[in-house]
Amino acid sequence: QKEVEQNSGPLSVPEGAIASLNCTYSDRGSQSFFWYRQYSGKSPELIMFIYSNGDKEDGRFTAQLNKASQYVSLLIRDSQPSDSATYLCAGGTSYGKLTFGQGTILTVHP
Amino acid sequence: NAGVTQTPKFRILKIGQSMTLQCAQDMNHNYMYWYRQDPGMGLKLIYYSVGAGITDKGEVPNGYNVSRSTTEDFPLRLELAAPSQTSVYFCASRAAGLGVEAFFGQGTRLTVV
């Protein structure tokens, strides 16, 4: 079964720190990877996507992809209490189908 | 711009009842999806569609049916509801292409008792 595994949580970091979220995938056919943020009781919202090896930065967020190691990560710099949410890693396959990990709960405490 | 609209937002069903979850998008996206999310878990794909008249099964299709008669609408039918179908259901749509964002509806919280 094609799976996406996220590092076990929950993760708690102090305000201003770097939060590191990790994800591994088993399907080498996955071409793109997505990080979604989900607040409690809400729908997922896209933070970033990446499909090339290396780093991709957008503001306080950096996504990293290593296809050889089948590893995806998300770094959140200068973490804020408003970043507290569940973060979902997803691999994209044919026809835009997404395979989600189980999510990592992040809490940023003041 | 409404995006992806799901109705209803909440529903309680009795075991054995049937219902249809509605999903509509106004972005002219060809690709549409139904996912379910159980408590503390990620989303799992139930069914998807790549255009009007074309649907296919995802990872967890048992107990569900879909149809896609128009580009805009993608209803999900639950027949003979079971407690195992208690979940939050999300509809999503996206355009074709690599690394394209999928837009999610607000979800339908379904409880089967």
Side-chain angles (χ1 to χ4, degrees), chain B residues 36-50:
Chain B
R36 61 176 285 175
Q37 185 176 30
D38 297 333
M41 302 296 289
L43 284 71
K44 291 187 184 295
L45 182 65
I46 305 171
Y47 270 95
Y48 69 101
S49 170
V50 299

Side-chain angles (χ1 to χ4, degrees), chain A residues 1 31-32 34 36 38 41-44 46 49 51 88 95-103, chain B residues 31 33 35 37 40-43 45 48 50 59 90 94 98-102 104-106 109:
Chain A
Q1 183 166 347
Q31 299 176 317
S32 54
F34 301 80
Y36 283 87
Q38 187 177 31
K42 301 295 186 181
S43 58
L46 183 68
F49 69 87
Y51 54 82
L88 298 165
Y95 304 114
K97 293 177 289 182
L98 296 173
T99 301
F100 284 87
Q102 72 275 29
Chain B
Y31 294 173
Y33 313 86
Y35 292 91
Q37 185 176 30
M41 302 296 289
L43 284 71
L45 182 65
Y48 69 101
V50 299
E59 184 182 358
F90 290 103
R94 56 163 273 175
L98 180 65
V100 174
E101 179 179 1
F104 285 83
Q106 291 306 300
R109 186 174 296 274

Side-chain angles (χ1 to χ4, degrees), chain A residues 2 6 10 22 44 52 57 83 90 98 108:
Chain A
K2 300 168 184 175
Q6 295 188 234
N22 304 310
S52 298
E57 185 174 320
D83 294 326
L98 296 173
V108 181

Side-chain angles (χ1 to χ4, degrees), chain A residues 9-35:
Chain A
L11 179 65
S12 181
V13 301
E15 184 174 356
I18 295 175
S20 177
L21 304 160
N22 304 310
C23 173
T24 58
Y25 62 94
S26 61
D27 181 12
R28 288 192 177 274
S30 293
Q31 299 176 317
S32 54
F33 298 89
F34 301 80
W35 283 100

Side-chain angles (χ1 to χ4, degrees), chain A residues 3 5-6 10 19-20 28 38 40 45 49-50 52 68 75 77 79 81 91-92 103:
Chain A
E3 293 184 345
E5 295 285 339
Q6 295 188 234
S20 177
R28 288 192 177 274
Q38 187 177 31
S40 181
E45 53 181 336
F49 69 87
I50 185 168
S52 298
L75 298 177
R77 291 181 299 280
S79 296

